[in-house]
Each structure stands twice: as structure tokens, then as C-alpha cells.
Amino acid sequence: LLGLAEHGVTAERLDVTLNVLADRNDESCARLLSETGSAPVQIFNVNADQLPSVVQQTSKQLRQPAIRINIPFWELSSYPDAWLPNFATMDEIWAPSRFIQNALAGRIDKRVIHMPVAIELPPVTRLPRGRFGLPEDRFLFFYAFDFLSFMERKNPRAAIRAFRIAFEKFGKAGLVLKSMNGRVVPKQLAALQEAIDGHPDIFLVDETLSRMDALGLIASMDAVLSLHRSEGLGLLVAEAMLMEKPVIATGYSATREFLSERTGYPVDYRLVPVGEDEYVHPQKQIWGDADVAHAAWLMRHVHDDPGRAAPKIARARAHVERNHSRAFVVQSRAQRLRALVPSLAAAG
């Protein structure tokens, strides 16, 4: 939003805390927040399940009437029927990925535009592995997930199985499982620990890190692994590419917008139904179950000759920088806003 000013568009920002469960430990944008909004366009960066509540809560703070835009996230290939009426008060939808755009296309009587999000990183300092009890003397694969984002979707147990197949001998490589919120769901945490079963080369780090510490941990890794079953964006994959890490990930869903055979290592998969208790609104939904044997083969491939990944790494970084730079995204948004509001076009 800051960059919009360079295109003659002024932006105001309201903080919405309604039903927020996340740890709000980043206050870097606090000075930019407003108490009211007078703009003729209102962009709600809120998922559809919470959208009506947020619209109602902020109605007295925002200009009426106005053009309303929603930026929703969703991780499966079809948007839930139950949430579609929640877009009724919106005029337009900005889908952060083409995967989300396709999930909504033809489902609502609103224009659904693919509007990419900016993915850029500040300068990152590599953290010492010893801070997390990790070995310095071996190749480490990094896997990250939030227990509150549904462990069945993030699928860390597939990573454990793939690692066991790839490295039968101890001490050749390591798998770092960086999780958070395990304490909130102790039974799931215990189930994951049972799957690890004391393996000496699999390391579970369950804690909430600051943004810079999380990036610093990734910087200390050798490769990034993501055997997710479905992603609405795939931020870890994109950021790993910017950090010049080889990426091995399920070749399904929004991560495919970053990941190809030219930019990384897509893992084969088969489409399977989403189980009743595996995600919200699972009815008639499918997702991609990674081929663990193929993932193991790719892990050995990357481990045994890391230098072979260099061309893919370079193309991956260039792809993210070209399609998700702040400058590109701001220009795209400003162009669309000027099309919606003639007065902005005149100002620009």
C-alpha cells in the first residue's frame, strides 16, 4: 500500500482484530494505521468466512457508499458453497493466486481478477544452527507448518516417510520440522512425535519465531521441502526461492505458479478425496497426495550433488522477482484502481 502513493493513489489502513488467533508480534506497520477510512475504494484483506462480520464491524469507520474489494485466501480447488453468499457486499474479488481465481471463477456474479501479492525479503542474517540444537556438519532439509493450518493438509508425516526412505543410514542428512502451535493441539503434537519415533536425524522445533528469526533459520538450511496436499499461495516455496534454496514440493495447487521443472523439483502426486475431519468444508473436495518414493528420490538427487541445482535456483529467484516484486504488484493494483475510479486516473 505504501507504494501506491508513487502512482498517485493515497491509501489508509485499518487494523481489524476480530476473531484473530495469531500471535500479533509484528508492530512494524502500527504507525501507518488509521481509525477511519474515507477512501472511495475499500479493500478487505479478509477471508470469506469472516468477511460479513468485518464489514459490519467497520461500517461506522468507513465511507459509505464505496467500491468494495475482497482479497480472500483458500487452499482447495473449489470454494465452499457455504461461503459464496458472503461476497454479496463486495464489488470485485482480487485472487492472490490463479489457483484461488480458478476456485472462484464462475461461482459468483462478481469479477474475479488475479492480483498477485508482493513477495520480497529484507536482508536476512543466517542464524547459527546450534541455537536450535541442529547439527552444523550435515545437509539439512527444512519443512515448516502451523498445527492450526491443519496438519493433514501440510502433511509433515509424508516428509518423515520420504526422509526415512532417502537416507537409510544415520548421519548422512537431517530433516528439520519447524512447527508452531503444537501446544494448542497436544494430541497432534504427540502423534507427530510418535511418527518421528526418536529418529536421530529428524529434528522437531515447535516454537513461534519472529519474522526475522524464521528467515534466519531458513537461511541456515540447505534445501526446502514441502509435501503439502494443497496450498492457496505457497509462501514458503516462494521465499525459499528468493533465498536461493533448492525447493522440492508437491507439484499441485498454487505452488505450481512458482515451481516447475525449470525452477525446482515438483513431486508427483495423485488426487484423493479430502477426509471428513481433514479440513474445513471437505465435502466433494480433492487434493494432491505426494508420491513419497518420488520425493525421496529427489531428496537424494539434491543431496548427492547440490551443485546441479544452481541453474534451477537462479531461474526460481528470477521468476519470483519478476512476477511478485513490490514494484510489479503496486503497478498492477494502481492500474486497476485507476480503472475503477476515474478521479484516481485523473490524479495519476
Side-chain angles (χ1 to χ4, degrees):
L1 291 179
L2 287 173
L4 287 173
E6 301 169 7
H7 294 265
V9 180
T10 302
E12 303 163 324
R13 307 151 193 88
L14 269 70
D15 186 22
V16 178
T17 60
L18 181 69
N19 297 332
V20 173
L21 299 177
D23 186 357
R24 296 165 56 82
N25 58 7
D26 184 351
E27 297 185 355
S28 58
C29 294
R31 61 183 178 82
L32 304 174
L33 299 177
S34 306
E35 294 297 325
T36 59
S38 59
V41 179
Q42 297 162 7
I43 301 174
F44 290 83
N45 196 1
V46 179
N47 286 346
D49 59 326
Q50 299 292 315
L51 187 57
S53 299
V54 172
V55 169
Q56 182 180 20
Q57 185 195 45
T58 58
S59 61
K60 294 182 179 179
Q61 299 171 265
L62 298 176
R63 169 177 171 167
Q64 306 293 337
I67 297 172
R68 290 174 171 173
I69 298 170
N70 179 230
I71 303 178
F73 279 85
W74 175 245
E75 285 77 23
L76 302 183
S77 60
S78 180
Y79 221 82
D81 292 341
W83 292 351
L84 295 178
N86 295 355
F87 294 115
T89 58
M90 297 293 111
D91 298 289
E92 184 168 291
I93 310 300
W94 287 359
S97 67
R98 296 197 183 279
F99 183 74
I100 296 174
Q101 182 186 30
N102 290 335
L104 274 167
R107 307 290 310 284
I108 57 175
D109 60 347
K110 312 287 180 182
R111 184 189 292 263
V112 182
I113 295 175
H114 172 229
M115 189 66 70
V117 295
I119 303 174
E120 291 189 345
L121 297 179
V124 177
T125 301
R126 178 188 185 276
L127 292 180
R129 292 178 173 181
R131 172 177 166 179
F132 303 95
L134 304 175
E136 293 281 358
D137 61 349
R138 72 189 69 172
F139 191 105
L140 293 184
F141 294 89
F142 181 80
Y143 200 101
F145 68 100
D146 184 345
F147 277 97
L148 298 184
S149 291
F150 290 83
M151 190 165 69
E152 292 301 327
R153 181 176 71 84
K154 291 295 189 177
N155 205 18
R157 280 174 286 210
I160 294 171
R161 295 197 302 272
F163 181 79
R164 288 180 181 274
I165 294 171
F167 304 101
E168 295 180 352
K169 294 183 179 180
F170 295 158
K172 289 182 63 67
L175 173 64
V176 178
L177 299 173
K178 168 60 186 74
S179 62
M180 59 189 291
N181 291 315
R183 57 181 173 75
V184 180
V185 285
K187 289 184 179 179
Q188 291 189 28
L189 177 60
L192 185 64
Q193 291 170 328
E194 183 178 349
I196 296 170
D197 192 28
H199 194 296
D201 296 329
I202 302 178
F203 308 92
L204 177 61
V205 180
D206 185 63
E207 60 178 289
T208 300
L209 301 177
S210 69
R211 168 75 168 152
M212 292 310 300
D213 281 356
L215 293 174
L217 175 58
I218 298 173
S220 73
M221 301 290 105
D222 297 292
V224 168
L225 179 66
S226 179
L227 301 185
H228 62 82
R229 290 192 167 103
S230 195
E231 290 283 7
L233 179 63
L235 186 61
L236 173 63
V237 168
E239 291 186 338
M241 289 176 168
L242 287 177
M243 298 174 74
E244 300 184 329
K245 305 296 179 184
V247 175
I248 302 169
T250 311
Y252 174 72
S253 68
T255 48
R256 265 306 219 175
E257 296 169 36
F258 307 108
L259 183 70
S260 69
E261 288 76 6
R262 288 179 50 79
T263 61
Y265 301 88
V267 176
D268 293 344
Y269 65 92
R270 62 187 181 96
L271 291 175
V272 299
V274 178
E276 188 62 32
D277 298 321
E278 293 179 337
Y279 206 64
V280 294
H281 296 289
Q283 298 80 14
K284 299 180 182 180
Q285 296 278 11
I286 58 173
W287 55 18
D289 197 32
D291 183 330
V292 171
H294 186 220
W297 185 86
L298 291 172
M299 292 170 74
R300 282 299 302 265
H301 178 82
V302 171
H303 169 272
D304 292 348
D305 188 359
R308 285 187 296 190
K312 292 178 183 285
I313 290 171
R315 289 191 292 264
R317 175 165 183 148
H319 173 79
V320 178
E321 289 178 336
R322 181 172 59 252
N323 296 288
H324 292 273
S325 69
R326 175 176 170 270
F328 176 78
V329 171
V330 166
Q331 182 179 13
S332 299
R333 295 188 177 192
Q335 185 176 17
R336 181 59 191 156
L337 290 171
R338 287 196 295 268
L340 289 170
V341 184
S343 61
L344 294 180

